[in-house]
Amino acid sequence: MKIICVGWNYAEHNKELGCTLKEGEEPVVFFKPDSAFLRNRRPFFLPDFSEQVEYETELVFRIGRLGKSIGARFADRYIDGVTVGIDFTARDMQADCRRKGLPWGICKGFDGSAAVGDMKPVPVSEGALENIRFRLDIDGKTVQNGFSGDMIFPVRRLVEYVSRFCTLKTGDLLFTGTPKGVGPVRIGQHLEGYLEDEKVLDFHIR
């Protein structure tokens, strides 16, 4: 299983991190190892190597069949599930790596850094993939709201782009970027992710 992640895919989030991604540029893609996968309802343990781990709530799509060089118009045939996930980021380490011009994959790819909710069927109506709302609540308070229609690169384009470089396999997960509102987590917090109004993700920080 590959965990494929897209960065800087919502304009307002890019602004809050001081980043820009001009229209027409290609997606920013990185990968997490399979050891980053955190199953729903399992606790997330704060690592001892970072003092600022932040949540990034994202729509996550599951690949349902083998594919290579997939055209965007056919991409929905290769997706068989959608849910809400959290891309945990060691923000202090990432900032240090960026200052030094170093790769920051380790700041994203540590164990348990990809929390994934329960998969739901992908909507099949015309335009449905660009009309999905999701959110994250922490201790009962909404901290992030997202809408797939705000993506700079929609999911069909992401499938097309990634499959140009590497074969997509059944069970691969595609994290599609986070909207504005990211923030730190601390021990004891209760995180709940919603796809539309259905809770699909539920776990605690330990």
Side-chain angles (χ1 to χ4, degrees):
M1 176 187 69
K2 294 188 293 297
I3 302 175
I4 308 154
C5 303
V6 177
W8 302 346
N9 202 24
Y10 287 81
E12 292 302 313
H13 170 63
N14 299 349
K15 291 178 183 177
E16 75 178 346
L17 291 188
C19 306
T20 58
L21 188 64
K22 296 179 181 178
E23 186 175 351
E25 292 183 2
E26 295 183 328
V28 174
V29 176
F30 60 96
F31 296 84
K32 292 176 183 263
D34 57 7
S35 59
F37 178 75
L38 182 66
R39 193 178 304 277
N40 194 20
R41 290 174 283 276
R42 296 285 180 86
F44 172 74
F45 291 92
L46 284 175
D48 60 5
F49 49 75
S50 174
E51 296 182 357
Q52 187 182 0
V53 174
E54 295 192 350
Y55 60 83
E56 298 187 12
T57 313
E58 312 195 8
L59 282 178
V60 180
F61 292 87
R62 184 178 63 196
I63 301 301
R65 57 188 287 199
L66 187 73
K68 171 71 174 175
S69 298
I70 303 164
R73 67 184 184 277
F74 303 119
D76 54 344
R77 302 179 186 178
Y78 291 82
I79 299 169
D80 75 348
V82 62
T83 191
V84 173
I86 307 293
D87 166 20
F88 284 110
T89 303
R91 191 73 70 198
D92 50 351
M93 293 178 62
Q94 185 188 42
D96 187 54
C97 288
R98 289 176 64 184
R99 281 194 299 269
K100 296 175 181 177
L102 299 174
W104 39 262
I106 198 168
C107 313
K108 292 273 194 177
F110 53 90
D111 288 354
S113 63
V116 179
D118 295 330
M119 284 289 167
K120 298 299 175 180
V122 176
V124 296
S125 59
E126 184 69 24
L129 291 179
E130 291 75 42
N131 195 34
I132 302 173
R133 297 189 181 276
F134 61 102
R135 76 176 197 266
L136 175 68
D137 290 359
I138 296 182
D139 295 335
K141 178 182 178 181
T142 299
V143 295
Q144 269 190 297
N145 277 295
F147 176 58
S148 62
D150 292 334
M151 290 182 187
I152 296 171
F153 300 101
V155 63
R156 288 184 178 89
R157 171 72 176 108
L158 296 177
V159 169
E160 178 183 58
Y161 182 78
V162 173
S163 69
R164 175 185 173 192
F165 300 98
C166 61
T167 300
L168 296 180
K169 296 185 177 182
T170 303
D172 286 350
L173 300 174
L174 176 61
F175 280 67
T176 55
T178 192
K180 68 176 181 179
V182 302
V185 291
R186 63 178 185 274
I187 291 174
Q189 287 181 323
H190 181 200
L191 277 62
E192 297 170 290
Y194 290 81
L195 188 65
E196 299 295 344
D197 291 322
E198 182 177 3
K199 184 162 67 173
V200 294
L201 183 65
D202 188 341
F203 66 104
H204 290 80
I205 307 296
R206 301 299 188 203

PDB file of all heavy atoms in Angstrom, residues 65-83:
ATOM      1  N   ARG A  65      -8.353  -0.209  -8.244  1.00  0.00           N
ATOM      2  CA  ARG A  65      -7.877  -1.105  -9.286  1.00  0.00           C
ATOM      3  C   ARG A  65      -6.534  -0.620  -9.804  1.00  0.00           C
ATOM      4  O   ARG A  65      -6.163   0.545  -9.639  1.00  0.00           O
ATOM      5  CB  ARG A  65      -8.881  -1.190 -10.448  1.00  0.00           C
ATOM      6  CG  ARG A  65      -9.204   0.144 -11.062  1.00  0.00           C
ATOM      7  CD  ARG A  65     -10.347   0.074 -12.069  1.00  0.00           C
ATOM      8  NE  ARG A  65      -9.928  -0.571 -13.313  1.00  0.00           N
ATOM      9  CZ  ARG A  65     -10.598  -0.434 -14.458  1.00  0.00           C
ATOM     10  NH1 ARG A  65     -11.716   0.310 -14.500  1.00  0.00           N
ATOM     11  NH2 ARG A  65     -10.182  -1.035 -15.548  1.00  0.00           N
ATOM     12  N   LEU A  66      -5.792  -1.542 -10.410  1.00  0.00           N
ATOM     13  CA  LEU A  66      -4.473  -1.248 -10.945  1.00  0.00           C
ATOM     14  C   LEU A  66      -4.581  -0.271 -12.108  1.00  0.00           C
ATOM     15  O   LEU A  66      -5.454  -0.404 -12.963  1.00  0.00           O
ATOM     16  CB  LEU A  66      -3.817  -2.551 -11.411  1.00  0.00           C
ATOM     17  CG  LEU A  66      -2.356  -2.496 -11.858  1.00  0.00           C
ATOM     18  CD1 LEU A  66      -1.450  -2.329 -10.660  1.00  0.00           C
ATOM     19  CD2 LEU A  66      -2.004  -3.777 -12.622  1.00  0.00           C
ATOM     20  N   GLY A  67      -3.693   0.717 -12.135  1.00  0.00           N
ATOM     21  CA  GLY A  67      -3.744   1.679 -13.230  1.00  0.00           C
ATOM     22  C   GLY A  67      -2.443   2.429 -13.415  1.00  0.00           C
ATOM     23  O   GLY A  67      -1.728   2.718 -12.456  1.00  0.00           O
ATOM     24  N   LYS A  68      -2.153   2.750 -14.656  1.00  0.00           N
ATOM     25  CA  LYS A  68      -0.955   3.500 -15.017  1.00  0.00           C
ATOM     26  C   LYS A  68      -1.316   4.472 -16.137  1.00  0.00           C
ATOM     27  O   LYS A  68      -2.071   4.123 -17.050  1.00  0.00           O
ATOM     28  CB  LYS A  68       0.145   2.532 -15.480  1.00  0.00           C
ATOM     29  CG  LYS A  68       1.383   3.183 -16.090  1.00  0.00           C
ATOM     30  CD  LYS A  68       2.222   3.908 -15.061  1.00  0.00           C
ATOM     31  CE  LYS A  68       3.523   4.415 -15.696  1.00  0.00           C
ATOM     32  NZ  LYS A  68       4.299   5.231 -14.754  1.00  0.00           N
ATOM     33  N   SER A  69      -0.815   5.704 -16.041  1.00  0.00           N
ATOM     34  CA  SER A  69      -1.077   6.728 -17.055  1.00  0.00           C
ATOM     35  C   SER A  69      -2.584   6.863 -17.310  1.00  0.00           C
ATOM     36  O   SER A  69      -3.063   6.755 -18.446  1.00  0.00           O
ATOM     37  CB  SER A  69      -0.329   6.410 -18.352  1.00  0.00           C
ATOM     38  OG  SER A  69       1.067   6.393 -18.136  1.00  0.00           O
ATOM     39  N   ILE A  70      -3.310   7.126 -16.243  1.00  0.00           N
ATOM     40  CA  ILE A  70      -4.779   7.212 -16.286  1.00  0.00           C
ATOM     41  C   ILE A  70      -5.193   8.616 -16.712  1.00  0.00           C
ATOM     42  O   ILE A  70      -4.770   9.603 -16.119  1.00  0.00           O
ATOM     43  CB  ILE A  70      -5.366   6.884 -14.906  1.00  0.00           C
ATOM     44  CG1 ILE A  70      -4.919   5.494 -14.439  1.00  0.00           C
ATOM     45  CG2 ILE A  70      -6.881   6.987 -14.916  1.00  0.00           C
ATOM     46  CD1 ILE A  70      -5.127   5.259 -12.957  1.00  0.00           C
ATOM     47  N   GLY A  71      -6.020   8.705 -17.711  1.00  0.00           N
ATOM     48  CA  GLY A  71      -6.550   9.998 -18.106  1.00  0.00           C
ATOM     49  C   GLY A  71      -7.519  10.536 -17.077  1.00  0.00           C
ATOM     50  O   GLY A  71      -8.262   9.772 -16.447  1.00  0.00           O
ATOM     51  N   ALA A  72      -7.551  11.852 -16.902  1.00  0.00           N
ATOM     52  CA  ALA A  72      -8.413  12.456 -15.886  1.00  0.00           C
ATOM     53  C   ALA A  72      -9.875  12.078 -16.081  1.00  0.00           C
ATOM     54  O   ALA A  72     -10.604  11.859 -15.105  1.00  0.00           O
ATOM     55  CB  ALA A  72      -8.253  13.975 -15.899  1.00  0.00           C
ATOM     56  N   ARG A  73     -10.333  11.964 -17.321  1.00  0.00           N
ATOM     57  CA  ARG A  73     -11.738  11.660 -17.569  1.00  0.00           C
ATOM     58  C   ARG A  73     -12.113  10.239 -17.168  1.00  0.00           C
ATOM     59  O   ARG A  73     -13.301   9.916 -17.063  1.00  0.00           O
ATOM     60  CB  ARG A  73     -12.084  11.923 -19.036  1.00  0.00           C
ATOM     61  CG  ARG A  73     -11.410  10.998 -20.037  1.00  0.00           C
ATOM     62  CD  ARG A  73     -11.753  11.434 -21.455  1.00  0.00           C
ATOM     63  NE  ARG A  73     -11.216  10.548 -22.469  1.00  0.00           N
ATOM     64  CZ  ARG A  73      -9.981  10.602 -22.942  1.00  0.00           C
ATOM     65  NH1 ARG A  73      -9.130  11.519 -22.452  1.00  0.00           N
ATOM     66  NH2 ARG A  73      -9.580   9.779 -23.884  1.00  0.00           N
ATOM     67  N   PHE A  74     -11.097   9.394 -16.956  1.00  0.00           N
ATOM     68  CA  PHE A  74     -11.348   8.014 -16.540  1.00  0.00           C
ATOM     69  C   PHE A  74     -11.015   7.773 -15.063  1.00  0.00           C
ATOM     70  O   PHE A  74     -11.182   6.672 -14.562  1.00  0.00           O
ATOM     71  CB  PHE A  74     -10.534   7.041 -17.387  1.00  0.00           C
ATOM     72  CG  PHE A  74     -10.780   7.159 -18.864  1.00  0.00           C
ATOM     73  CD1 PHE A  74      -9.751   7.495 -19.723  1.00  0.00           C
ATOM     74  CD2 PHE A  74     -12.044   6.948 -19.390  1.00  0.00           C
ATOM     75  CE1 PHE A  74      -9.972   7.605 -21.086  1.00  0.00           C
ATOM     76  CE2 PHE A  74     -12.278   7.048 -20.753  1.00  0.00           C
ATOM     77  CZ  PHE A  74     -11.241   7.386 -21.607  1.00  0.00           C
ATOM     78  N   ALA A  75     -10.539   8.800 -14.371  1.00  0.00           N
ATOM     79  CA  ALA A  75      -9.975   8.619 -13.031  1.00  0.00           C
ATOM     80  C   ALA A  75     -10.975   8.071 -12.035  1.00  0.00           C
ATOM     81  O   ALA A  75     -10.619   7.273 -11.157  1.00  0.00           O
ATOM     82  CB  ALA A  75      -9.399   9.936 -12.531  1.00  0.00           C
ATOM     83  N   ASP A  76     -12.260   8.489 -12.151  1.00  0.00           N
ATOM     84  CA  ASP A  76     -13.232   8.034 -11.164  1.00  0.00           C
ATOM     85  C   ASP A  76     -13.460   6.527 -11.226  1.00  0.00           C
ATOM     86  O   ASP A  76     -13.924   5.927 -10.260  1.00  0.00           O
ATOM     87  CB  ASP A  76     -14.554   8.782 -11.307  1.00  0.00           C
ATOM     88  CG  ASP A  76     -15.124   8.717 -12.710  1.00  0.00           C
ATOM     89  OD1 ASP A  76     -14.387   8.357 -13.650  1.00  0.00           O
ATOM     90  OD2 ASP A  76     -16.323   9.025 -12.868  1.00  0.00           O
ATOM     91  N   ARG A  77     -13.076   5.882 -12.333  1.00  0.00           N
ATOM     92  CA  ARG A  77     -13.202   4.431 -12.446  1.00  0.00           C
ATOM     93  C   ARG A  77     -12.179   3.707 -11.567  1.00  0.00           C
ATOM     94  O   ARG A  77     -12.315   2.509 -11.322  1.00  0.00           O
ATOM     95  CB  ARG A  77     -13.014   3.987 -13.898  1.00  0.00           C
ATOM     96  CG  ARG A  77     -13.991   4.614 -14.878  1.00  0.00           C
ATOM     97  CD  ARG A  77     -13.709   4.134 -16.291  1.00  0.00           C
ATOM     98  NE  ARG A  77     -14.546   4.821 -17.275  1.00  0.00           N
ATOM     99  CZ  ARG A  77     -14.478   4.614 -18.588  1.00  0.00           C
ATOM    100  NH1 ARG A  77     -13.609   3.731 -19.069  1.00  0.00           N
ATOM    101  NH2 ARG A  77     -15.264   5.281 -19.405  1.00  0.00           N
ATOM    102  N   TYR A  78     -11.170   4.436 -11.130  1.00  0.00           N
ATOM    103  CA  TYR A  78     -10.085   3.841 -10.355  1.00  0.00           C
ATOM    104  C   TYR A  78     -10.196   4.155  -8.865  1.00  0.00           C
ATOM    105  O   TYR A  78      -9.325   3.776  -8.086  1.00  0.00           O
ATOM    106  CB  TYR A  78      -8.733   4.318 -10.898  1.00  0.00           C
ATOM    107  CG  TYR A  78      -8.432   3.760 -12.264  1.00  0.00           C
ATOM    108  CD1 TYR A  78      -8.969   4.338 -13.409  1.00  0.00           C
ATOM    109  CD2 TYR A  78      -7.633   2.624 -12.414  1.00  0.00           C
ATOM    110  CE1 TYR A  78      -8.708   3.817 -14.669  1.00  0.00           C
ATOM    111  CE2 TYR A  78      -7.364   2.093 -13.668  1.00  0.00           C
ATOM    112  CZ  TYR A  78      -7.908   2.687 -14.787  1.00  0.00           C
ATOM    113  OH  TYR A  78      -7.660   2.164 -16.037  1.00  0.00           O
ATOM    114  N   ILE A  79     -11.245   4.839  -8.461  1.00  0.00           N
ATOM    115  CA  ILE A  79     -11.450   5.212  -7.062  1.00  0.00           C
ATOM    116  C   ILE A  79     -12.647   4.448  -6.524  1.00  0.00           C
ATOM    117  O   ILE A  79     -13.722   4.469  -7.122  1.00  0.00           O
ATOM    118  CB  ILE A  79     -11.706   6.728  -6.931  1.00  0.00           C
ATOM    119  CG1 ILE A  79     -10.506   7.520  -7.451  1.00  0.00           C
ATOM    120  CG2 ILE A  79     -12.004   7.091  -5.485  1.00  0.00           C
ATOM    121  CD1 ILE A  79     -10.791   9.008  -7.591  1.00  0.00           C
ATOM    122  N   ASP A  80     -12.485   3.761  -5.399  1.00  0.00           N
ATOM    123  CA  ASP A  80     -13.610   2.983  -4.866  1.00  0.00           C
ATOM    124  C   ASP A  80     -13.993   3.343  -3.436  1.00  0.00           C
ATOM    125  O   ASP A  80     -14.840   2.701  -2.834  1.00  0.00           O
ATOM    126  CB  ASP A  80     -13.340   1.484  -4.980  1.00  0.00           C
ATOM    127  CG  ASP A  80     -12.339   0.966  -3.944  1.00  0.00           C
ATOM    128  OD1 ASP A  80     -11.673   1.794  -3.289  1.00  0.00           O
ATOM    129  OD2 ASP A  80     -12.228  -0.263  -3.799  1.00  0.00           O
ATOM    130  N   GLY A  81     -13.394   4.392  -2.872  1.00  0.00           N
ATOM    131  CA  GLY A  81     -13.748   4.788  -1.520  1.00  0.00           C
ATOM    132  C   GLY A  81     -13.253   6.181  -1.195  1.00  0.00           C
ATOM    133  O   GLY A  81     -12.285   6.665  -1.788  1.00  0.00           O
ATOM    134  N   VAL A  82     -13.926   6.833  -0.261  1.00  0.00           N
ATOM    135  CA  VAL A  82     -13.528   8.163   0.190  1.00  0.00           C
ATOM    136  C   VAL A  82     -13.766   8.262   1.690  1.00  0.00           C
ATOM    137  O   VAL A  82     -14.695   7.667   2.230  1.00  0.00           O
ATOM    138  CB  VAL A  82     -14.304   9.267  -0.560  1.00  0.00           C
ATOM    139  CG1 VAL A  82     -15.806   9.166  -0.311  1.00  0.00           C
ATOM    140  CG2 VAL A  82     -13.794  10.656  -0.185  1.00  0.00           C
ATOM    141  N   THR A  83     -12.912   8.991   2.368  1.00  0.00           N
ATOM    142  CA  THR A  83     -13.061   9.208   3.799  1.00  0.00           C
ATOM    143  C   THR A  83     -12.327  10.481   4.190  1.00  0.00           C
ATOM    144  O   THR A  83     -11.832  11.229   3.337  1.00  0.00           O
ATOM    145  CB  THR A  83     -12.539   7.994   4.594  1.00  0.00           C
ATOM    146  OG1 THR A  83     -12.935   8.124   5.974  1.00  0.00           O
ATOM    147  CG2 THR A  83     -11.033   7.856   4.505  1.00  0.00           C
TER     148      THR A  83
END
